[in-house]
Amino acid sequence: SQHIPMGYVLDEKDSIPDNQPVVVQCGGGTRSQVVISLLNNSGFQNLINLSGGISAWKREGLPLKTDQ
């Protein structure tokens, strides 16, 4: 997994795989949709927005892994 802050996505786009699905997530799902739009304009197609963001993921009680 890879974490790229929104402001650096286009600078780091060469490190994002374009041959497999990529889930894009943020806190609530809005910023990730913006990132998907930016990446779509750069030719990416296999992008999935985590609906509701990580907040919805947590509400559902789904597992999280954090780097500490």
Side-chain angles (χ1 to χ4, degrees):
S1 88
Q2 181 178 356
H3 174 261
I4 303 172
M6 182 178 177
Y8 297 95
V9 168
L10 292 180
D11 293 336
E12 298 292 328
K13 69 182 180 185
D14 290 341
S15 69
I16 301 170
D18 61 359
N19 60 349
Q20 64 188 25
V22 174
V23 176
V24 181
Q25 63 89 20
C26 66
T30 303
R31 286 171 294 162
S32 55
Q33 188 57 51
V34 171
V35 168
I36 285 177
S37 179
L38 291 170
L39 289 172
N40 282 153
N41 289 337
S42 292
F44 286 83
Q45 296 181 9
N46 286 324
L47 305 170
I48 302 162
N49 187 27
L50 180 61
S51 182
I54 201 67
S55 296
W57 187 272
K58 288 180 185 178
R59 276 194 307 276
E60 293 296 320
L62 296 166
L64 294 173
K65 179 181 177 186
T66 59
D67 296 327
Q68 295 187 29

